[in-house]
Amino acid sequence: MITSAAFAGKRYAVLGLARSGAASVEALLASGAVVTAWDRDEDRRAAFAGRCDLADPLELDLAGFAGVVVSPGVPLNTHPIGLHAAKSSVPVIGDIELFALARRDMVEHRVIGITGTNGKSTVTALTHHILAMAGLPAVMGGNIGEPVLTREPLGPNENGLGVYVLELSSFQIDLTFNLDADVAALTNITPDHLDRYADYAAYAEAKERLFDMQSAHRRAVFGTDEGPAGAIRARQVARRGEGRTLLADLARFAPFQHQWPSLQGPHNLQNVAVAVALAEELGVTEAQWRHALPRFRGLAHRMERTCEADGVLYINDSKATNPASAAPALAAFPPDPAIRDGRARIHWIVGGLAKEDGLAECGDHLGHIAAAYTVGEAGPRFAELLEGRVPKVERCELIAEAVARAQDAARPGDVVLLSPACASYDQFRDYEKRGEHFRHLVGVIARCDTCAPGNRADGELAS
């Protein structure tokens, strides 16, 4: 794991002992820190019994502590830990801040930081894939994969310095203050997580802090120049100059997109443009990224080509938890004149726990939909919004019923698309469980052997 002498002898409290919290405790203990840990879950606390103090930091006098480490899932706008720590002038931080502080004791390396509302997971995985195929030592962490502190520190090899590729949510950036990324990227910004921020502007400001933490001579990459992202880019150009603030060139890659099976749709054109720009900043050549892109398998639950059965393509896009992230999936499958006389071919499974009222960007692609199958708590509302605007709407409640009806109705050349545009919490623990459920159903209902249980390692990526 990643450790640092910077933590030795200092006192830290860790609130929340799930993945990032547990990793923080382990790294701090291994670095010689004095740790007080807490989680409401007794089993998680038990894992650290006898190894550190177990106490709720809300019940402690935090004077003298170097920091309170919390999970990104802790809502700082409502949780009392922020005010309690502030009374003793103790910073509330996350595991990414611990990584940032540990960097001074690590072998020389580079860091890529990637944020945005949509696309950041794909850009992170794709950037890591390109670097790895180019022979650069690289690990992926942050909001994707394993917590970065659990990783073995990278060293250089004959191809160059090691690279940490970090996906960073706005919640993680809120808990980070010293991450001077060698290259940082913003895919886009659309309204999201407004329950955690005062307004849309405050959410955008959280994203911008990734760039404000960078030294002025560092590079920044932007996937779009529209909306808040464009305003952030303009401020960064003023701060560091046009030459260090790159706008990804989508037109450069459009002629070749058909060569990349797992990177279809306009959203993936942006993802490719950002990932390649990041990789090229670290010395990857055009020949190297051209070799890597067709070999990228994509992320589980993000435009995942689950299988093709009887000429029907089944797509698991369970990670699309808001309309802005579902819209690119709808855009990726327009009517094809060579298929069924150019009629709409998407059978859209939509619904769950809505984050907003309305179709938002999804409304721009309703001409691609042959039928909609509404599910979950928001199902009735989506049915109301779609009836009369798409050829057929079927109210299903459960995904199992939706998959069965879609399978019956779909014809060769059609696409059965789970892209819910909603959170999963009305029926599932998280979007991963929802996607796994869809994959299982397709295996059974559509008789698809490749996505039947046990035939795929969930989340497996090409390296």
Side-chain angles (χ1 to χ4, degrees):
M1 71 180 65
I2 292 172
T3 60
S4 173
F7 309 133
K10 295 181 179 178
R11 298 175 66 194
Y12 289 87
V14 179
L15 178 61
L17 299 175
R19 292 197 308 169
S20 66
S24 297
V25 174
E26 296 288 4
L28 288 169
L29 289 175
S31 300
V34 178
V35 179
T36 300
W38 186 253
D39 194 292
R40 290 179 296 180
D41 187 301
E42 185 176 350
D43 290 337
R44 289 177 178 171
R45 295 200 306 269
F48 294 98
R51 302 178 58 203
C52 62
D53 294 333
L54 295 174
D56 187 343
L58 287 172
E59 299 176 358
L60 298 177
D61 178 357
L62 295 175
F65 278 71
V68 178
V69 183
V70 303
S71 161
V74 174
L76 295 181
N77 59 328
T78 59
H79 197 283
I81 190 60
L83 289 175
H84 183 60
K87 293 175 184 176
S88 301
S89 300
V90 175
V92 178
I93 61 177
D95 65 318
I96 301 300
E97 175 67 1
L98 293 179
F99 169 78
L101 296 173
R103 291 184 66 191
R104 68 185 188 188
D105 291 330
M106 295 162 61
V107 172
E108 188 179 1
H109 61 277
R110 290 177 289 186
V111 169
I112 295 175
I114 299 163
T115 194
T117 305
N118 299 305
K120 60 183 178 293
S121 294
T122 298
V123 170
T124 302
L126 182 56
T127 303
H128 175 261
H129 169 78
I130 294 170
L131 295 175
M133 292 207 74
L136 288 169
V139 298
M140 180 172 65
N143 200 44
I144 188 172
E146 296 298 317
V148 67
L149 293 175
T150 67
R151 308 308 296 266
E152 190 71 19
L154 288 171
N157 69 6
E158 63 274 12
N159 293 317
L161 299 178
V163 185
Y164 296 88
V165 187
L166 304 180
E167 177 189 340
L168 301 171
S169 70
S170 58
F171 303 157
Q172 289 171 310
I173 296 171
D174 288 340
L175 299 168
T176 307
F177 304 93
N178 292 284
L179 184 68
D180 186 3
D182 294 82
V183 194
L186 175 67
T187 57
N188 49 63
I189 300 181
T190 58
D192 202 6
H193 301 304
L194 299 186
D195 58 329
R196 290 277 295 261
Y197 295 96
D199 51 29
Y200 185 21
Y203 169 63
E205 288 170 8
K207 297 291 190 186
E208 186 169 9
R209 286 193 57 254
L210 174 62
F211 302 93
D212 291 340
M213 284 187 281
Q214 286 184 290
S215 301
H217 68 279
R218 305 291 195 192
R219 298 298 180 96
V221 176
F222 291 82
T224 180
D225 208 15
E226 298 179 357
I232 293 172
R233 179 174 180 268
R235 287 191 287 272
Q236 294 302 319
V237 168
R239 176 177 174 239
R240 65 182 88 191
E242 187 76 46
R244 294 186 178 90
T245 311
L246 177 67
L247 181 63
D249 182 5
L250 277 63
R252 176 186 178 194
F253 303 96
F256 313 107
Q257 191 175 17
H258 67 280
Q259 301 172 0
W260 314 321
S262 295
L263 292 165
Q264 296 302 295
H267 64 302
N268 274 322
L269 194 61
Q270 182 189 72
N271 293 338
V272 167
V274 173
V276 169
L278 290 170
E280 288 185 332
E281 286 294 326
L282 272 65
V284 172
T285 67
E286 181 170 344
Q288 288 172 323
W289 61 253
R290 278 185 178 273
H291 176 73
L293 291 178
R295 292 162 176 80
F296 180 68
R297 286 180 51 187
L299 291 173
H301 315 300
R302 190 46 158 156
M303 286 291 286
E304 175 191 347
R305 297 169 70 92
T306 302
C307 76
E308 186 171 346
D310 299 324
V312 177
L313 181 62
Y314 292 82
I315 299 288
N316 169 18
D317 194 39
S318 181
K319 199 174 189 295
T321 59
N322 57 52
S325 59
L330 297 177
F333 301 102
D336 186 341
I339 299 174
R340 300 182 62 194
D341 301 321
R343 285 175 287 175
R345 57 194 180 115
I346 295 176
H347 295 259
W348 185 25
I349 301 173
V350 57
L353 186 64
K355 290 185 175 180
E356 57 188 272
D357 185 35
L359 296 171
E361 293 93 332
C362 291
D364 297 335
H365 309 292
L366 299 186
H368 300 182
I369 298 170
Y373 308 82
T374 61
V375 300
E377 181 180 297
R381 177 56 178 157
F382 275 103
E384 292 173 1
L385 292 167
L386 292 168
E387 284 171 344
R389 302 182 67 186
V390 301
K392 181 170 68 173
V393 175
E394 299 203 20
R395 301 179 183 228
C396 299
E397 178 59 25
L398 298 177
I399 291 178
E401 182 182 1
V403 172
R405 291 193 189 186
Q407 190 267 339
D408 286 342
R411 299 292 179 266
D414 285 358
V415 178
V416 175
L417 171 68
L418 172 69
S419 191
C422 292
S424 60
Y425 306 127
D426 58 332
Q427 295 181 344
F428 299 92
R429 184 183 71 192
D430 49 37
Y431 74 81
E432 288 99 337
K433 287 298 182 185
R434 179 170 61 187
E436 290 167 15
H437 181 63
F438 174 78
R439 192 188 298 145
H440 170 82
L441 291 168
V442 171
V444 173
I445 295 172
R447 305 177 303 282
C448 179
D449 293 335
T450 59
C451 60
N455 286 358
R456 169 165 178 158
D458 197 34
E460 182 178 315
L461 296 173
S463 64

